[in-house]
């Protein structure tokens, strides 16, 4: 199957270099990661991958990195200015501070979510152009695509972590002592390390 996939990719590329884009590489199953690794090792494809945590990805990606076949660049979460610039690029015009802050708060500096939110809020009329500036015309609305992304991300966490995330999403804030009565301290530590809770 690997040989057939290799031939198919080369045939479709018609002599051009192949760039394989992987968004969320840490979520690939072991078999897919092995196939990608073999394609890289055989110099069939170049890979550009994103991962929130490389060390949660398949062992194959760790091996590619330690062998120098995968170059790693650590990126920080978007600042408010970064969010505003991305929104302006998407909307093709200036964006108000209030609109940028609202999207930044909901996206947490994640460029993919900033992009999804910006497009969807503009489509819904939440972000509206007034006098040449994109402003927040009404409160952000929950969008289907962002909800799907968040649901998939949430399902990747163990049940205890999901419970804490959902509880804090509803309450906004709880004393640590109350949370520790519901879940073990290790669960809270894990969520804090992933910057899902403060």
């Amino acid at each position: 199957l690997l040989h057939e996939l290799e031939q198919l990719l080369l045939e479709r590329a018609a002599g051009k270099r192949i760039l394989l884009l992987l968004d969320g590489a840490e979520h690939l199953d072991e078999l897919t990661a092995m196939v990608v690794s073999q394609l890289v090792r055989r110099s069939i494809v170049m890979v550009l991958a994103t991962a929130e945590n490389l060390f949660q990805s398949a062992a194959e990606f760790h091996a590619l990195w330690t062998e120098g076949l995968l170059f790693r660049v650590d990126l920080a979460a978007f600042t408010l200015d970064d969010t505003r610039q991305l929104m302006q690029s998407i909307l093709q015009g200036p964006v108000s501070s209030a609109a940028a802050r609202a999207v930044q708060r909901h996206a947490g500096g994640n460029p993919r979510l900033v992009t999804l939110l910006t497009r969807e809020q503009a489509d819904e009329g939440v972000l509206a152009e007034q006098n040449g500036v994109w402003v927040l015309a009404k409160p952000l609305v929950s969008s289907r695509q962002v909800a799907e992304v968040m649901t998939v991300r949430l399902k990747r966490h163990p049940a205890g972590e999901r419970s804490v995330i959902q509880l804090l999403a509803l309450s906004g804030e709880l004393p640590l002592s109350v949370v520790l009565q519901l879940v073990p301290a290790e669960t809270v530590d894990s969520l804090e390390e992933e910057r899902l809770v403060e």
Side-chain angles (χ1 to χ4, degrees):
L1 287 175
L2 182 62
H3 178 71
E4 288 180 20
L5 175 60
E6 182 180 320
Q7 291 306 311
L8 177 66
L9 289 170
L10 290 171
E11 189 178 298
R12 288 197 177 170
K16 297 177 184 171
R17 295 177 75 183
I18 302 169
L19 176 63
L20 183 61
L21 302 174
L22 302 174
D23 189 16
E26 72 272 26
H27 304 301
L28 293 178
D29 60 83
E30 293 288 333
L31 184 58
T32 304
M34 188 265 310
V35 169
V36 170
S37 173
Q38 290 301 312
L39 292 171
V40 169
R41 290 175 193 284
R42 294 175 184 212
S43 300
I44 302 302
V45 299
M46 292 189 320
V47 172
L48 177 60
T50 64
E52 289 183 19
N53 188 339
L54 179 64
F55 299 105
Q56 289 179 348
S57 62
E60 292 288 340
F61 288 115
H62 296 198
L64 288 173
W65 177 54
T66 55
E67 293 169 25
L69 296 172
L70 185 65
F71 181 68
R72 175 180 166 187
V73 177
D74 291 321
L75 302 174
F78 268 23
T79 64
L80 179 57
D81 285 340
D82 295 332
T83 295
R84 190 176 194 167
Q85 287 179 11
L86 179 56
M87 290 175 70
Q88 290 177 160
S89 173
I90 293 165
L91 298 171
Q92 300 292 301
V95 171
S96 73
S97 297
R101 273 194 304 275
V103 170
Q104 170 74 5
R105 187 174 58 252
H106 280 77
N110 181 314
R112 182 168 148 210
L113 289 180
V114 169
T115 301
L116 286 174
L117 274 171
T118 300
R119 289 185 177 141
E120 291 190 352
Q121 300 307 308
D123 290 345
E124 294 291 326
V126 172
L127 293 173
E129 193 173 9
Q130 293 179 359
N131 300 322
V133 177
W134 287 89
V135 299
L136 193 62
K138 49 188 172 182
L140 295 184
V141 296
S142 297
S143 60
R144 189 178 74 248
Q145 194 171 9
V146 172
E148 287 171 2
V149 169
M150 299 313 290
T151 299
V152 168
R153 288 177 152 202
L154 189 59
K155 285 182 179 179
R156 293 182 182 131
H157 291 277
E161 290 183 9
R162 280 198 311 269
S163 297
V164 172
I165 293 168
Q166 290 170 329
L167 185 60
L168 288 172
L170 292 172
S171 67
E173 185 176 316
L174 286 173
L176 180 59
S177 59
V178 171
V179 176
L180 291 175
Q181 290 175 10
L182 303 172
V183 294
E186 296 80 29
T187 300
V188 177
D189 289 343
S190 175
L191 290 170
E192 197 169 24
E193 284 174 13
E194 293 183 53
R195 293 182 294 158
L196 293 172
V197 301
E198 292 181 351

